[in-house]
Amino acid sequence: MVDLLRKGSEWLEQRRTTHCSSPVEYRRGEDAHVVQATRGKTDYEVADDYGATIGSHVVDFLIMADELNLKPEPGDVVVSDGYR
């Protein structure tokens, strides 16, 4: 029997990479590689006991492992639209 969930996940990943990604620069030290990445953003807010709210966001990049050709390490940098 065919594993429909696995096949569906692979199909969706191909579409995400093809239609939702853009080139970014992945840097490690002096080395830089241009790869396709899909940008994700999570907004969140935290309220304290006095009603003050603090908000922020986190940006993530989804990069295919076989395109990167190296294992990510602490200190690696992604540059997108001039921002690190």
Side-chain angles (χ1 to χ4, degrees), residues 11-21 36-38 62-64:
W11 177 86
L12 186 59
E13 181 66 23
Q14 291 170 352
R15 297 310 175 271
R16 181 194 60 77
T17 302
T18 302
H19 300 291
C20 300
S21 65
Q36 290 295 117
T38 303
L62 302 176
I63 301 171
M64 296 291 290

Side-chain angles (χ1 to χ4, degrees), residues 11-68:
W11 177 86
L12 186 59
E13 181 66 23
Q14 291 170 352
R15 297 310 175 271
R16 181 194 60 77
T17 302
T18 302
H19 300 291
C20 300
S21 65
S22 57
V24 298
E25 193 172 84
Y26 190 94
R27 294 182 186 170
R28 176 177 293 162
E30 298 297 318
D31 295 331
H33 307 279
V34 176
V35 296
Q36 290 295 117
T38 303
R39 183 179 177 158
K41 181 180 173 189
T42 303
D43 294 314
Y44 63 92
E45 291 184 350
V46 177
D48 66 12
D49 293 337
Y50 302 102
T53 303
I54 299 172
S56 187
H57 68 269
V58 176
V59 176
D60 296 306
F61 293 92
L62 302 176
I63 301 171
M64 296 291 290
D66 59 347
E67 186 172 352
L68 193 54

